[in-house]
Amino acid sequence: MSIAIRTTLLRTTVVAAATALTAAISTLPAQALDGQWCKDVHIRFFVGGAEGDAFGTIVYNGAKQAAADLGPKVDYIFSGWDIEKMVQQLREAVAVKPNGIAMMGHPGDSAIMPLAEEAHKDGIKMMYQNVPVPTVVAAFGGGYVGAQQEQQGRALGAEAFKLAKLKAGDKAIMIGPFDNESRGARERGTVAALKEAGIDVVQISSATEWAADPNLAIPVITAALLNNPDVKMVGYPGGQMLGNVPTYMQAAGRKPGDIFNFGFDTSPQIVEGFKGGWVQLTADQQPFLQGYLPILSLCQQVVLGLAPMNVDTGAGFVTPENYEIVAELAKQALR
């Protein structure tokens, strides 16, 4: 084929594509350009925790802001971080046949897969937040907004080792839902990073109820500290427990700075923990975005036919040196 013919064909292809794109844009509904361009879309949004939950409240605030900005009808689903409850609520959500569902990925690929398949057959758009479900997304589509669990966990372990100035042979306690294949990947990543650095890690499996009421963990954590008096640091699986560090430490007779306490998320309680010298490090996964972006993406998918978003919100670390930057927003339940 000559260069002239190839050039002509290329131009023809470009013109055809541009014409098709123009035609598609011209058929978009007029409300796509309005402030409430998503007003005819119905979404079910999974907040994850219970109403008033420290982490879930920030997710909820992000979702509420997206709904206010874009206009969809949103049903907010609270699960108390109960995985079995989430699955049942997802089953109910699919049965309602909304335009889109934003689902917490905590139940994991196996539990979500059959319901994702049903949603796909019914034309329901899906987004997932906080915990990724890559096998489900590969099979039936959808996007993900949140941190990459194992990657963020490993990064936190490495950062904690560095900031705590530990050395091989030192001892740490790590708390987490280790038996949960999807959700526990983050804390297993932290353990792996610490062990690779030569740290002796005592693992404590967290109960689901601890996320809803962190005081329930007081006896277990106190006993672990008393049985391991040489522990240099303790890691926590979420903002609810990390925000309760002063209570744990005081119950075990420890003072601020005696132990390097680290974990995930930000909240008003965690800010106070930094201020009082109880908390030394947290990984910020920006839960506000985990509320806002799934709704934005579902609106874009339903109204504009765009592909689902995939956004890693695991932005970085908060330490005693920089916590004041996010303190005010954390107190407003926005960070």
Side-chain angles (χ1 to χ4, degrees):
M1 182 184 295
S2 69
I3 294 177
I5 293 175
R6 285 201 299 269
T7 302
T8 300
L9 287 175
L10 178 60
R11 287 174 179 169
T12 301
T13 301
V14 171
V15 171
T19 302
L21 178 60
T22 301
I25 293 174
S26 67
T27 60
L28 286 177
Q31 66 266 28
L33 302 179
D34 296 339
Q36 299 286 289
W37 56 269
C38 192
K39 65 183 179 182
D40 296 324
V41 174
H42 178 203
I43 294 171
R44 284 219 161 180
F45 183 91
F46 281 72
V47 178
E51 293 187 63
D53 169 89
F55 183 87
T57 295
I58 306 175
V59 176
Y60 176 66
N61 286 341
K64 290 281 286 186
Q65 187 62 56
D69 290 346
L70 308 173
K73 177 180 181 281
V74 182
D75 304 324
Y76 299 98
I77 311 299
F78 297 89
S79 310
W81 305 113
D82 186 319
I83 291 174
E84 292 183 2
K85 187 175 183 179
M86 284 185 190
V87 173
Q88 178 57 33
Q89 291 171 328
L90 178 58
R91 186 175 293 109
E92 294 167 358
V94 173
V96 171
K97 292 182 170 59
N99 301 109
I101 298 173
M103 173 66 183
M104 286 279 171
H106 294 64
D109 286 292
S110 298
I112 292 176
M113 184 72 74
L115 297 173
E117 181 178 11
E118 187 177 341
H120 179 73
K121 290 178 180 177
D122 290 338
I124 301 171
K125 303 298 184 184
M126 296 294 297
M127 285 292 294
Y128 302 94
Q129 58 265 10
N130 197 245
V131 176
V133 282
T135 305
V136 167
V137 170
F140 299 111
Y144 174 66
V145 178
Q148 294 300 318
Q149 297 287 294
E150 182 179 7
Q151 178 180 324
Q152 188 185 40
R154 278 184 165 274
L156 178 65
E159 189 73 5
F161 176 81
K162 180 178 71 174
L163 294 184
K165 298 179 180 179
L166 300 188
K167 61 183 183 299
D170 285 340
K171 183 181 289 186
I173 292 174
M174 187 66 204
I175 306 164
F178 298 108
D179 295 335
N180 184 314
E181 180 182 358
S182 297
R183 170 60 187 83
R186 187 173 70 179
E187 286 73 19
R188 290 196 301 271
T190 302
V191 170
L194 292 175
K195 286 186 174 180
E196 288 167 8
I199 301 301
D200 178 13
V201 183
V202 176
Q203 294 181 223
I204 298 176
S205 293
S206 57
T208 301
E209 311 87 73
W210 294 359
D213 184 358
N215 284 328
L216 295 175
I218 292 174
V220 176
I221 295 175
T222 301
L225 290 173
L226 292 176
N227 291 332
N228 297 278
D230 55 341
V231 160
K232 297 294 182 65
M233 68 179 182
V234 179
Y236 303 84
Q240 298 92 324
M241 294 186 69
L242 187 61
N244 209 39
V245 160
T247 301
Y248 301 142
M249 294 297 107
Q250 289 169 5
R254 301 302 183 96
K255 297 178 181 179
D258 284 352
I259 290 178
F260 186 98
N261 290 291
F262 69 103
F264 301 88
D265 310 331
T266 55
S267 71
Q269 294 80 12
I270 292 172
V271 166
E272 289 303 310
F274 276 116
K275 187 175 180 180
W278 298 103
V279 176
Q280 283 71 42
L281 172 67
T282 188
D284 181 14
Q285 57 176 329
Q286 302 185 96
F288 187 89
L289 293 181
Q290 295 180 22
Y292 196 101
L293 294 181
I295 289 181
L296 172 60
S297 182
L298 287 171
C299 284
Q300 291 176 335
Q301 291 176 62
V302 174
V303 179
L304 304 177
L306 298 183
M309 287 184 181
N310 286 283
V311 180
D312 185 348
T313 65
F317 301 110
V318 180
T319 69
E321 283 68 41
N322 66 11
Y323 81 91
E324 292 182 347
I325 297 174
V326 302
E328 193 56 40
L329 290 174
K331 291 177 182 178
Q332 297 175 42
L334 300 175
R335 283 292 299 270

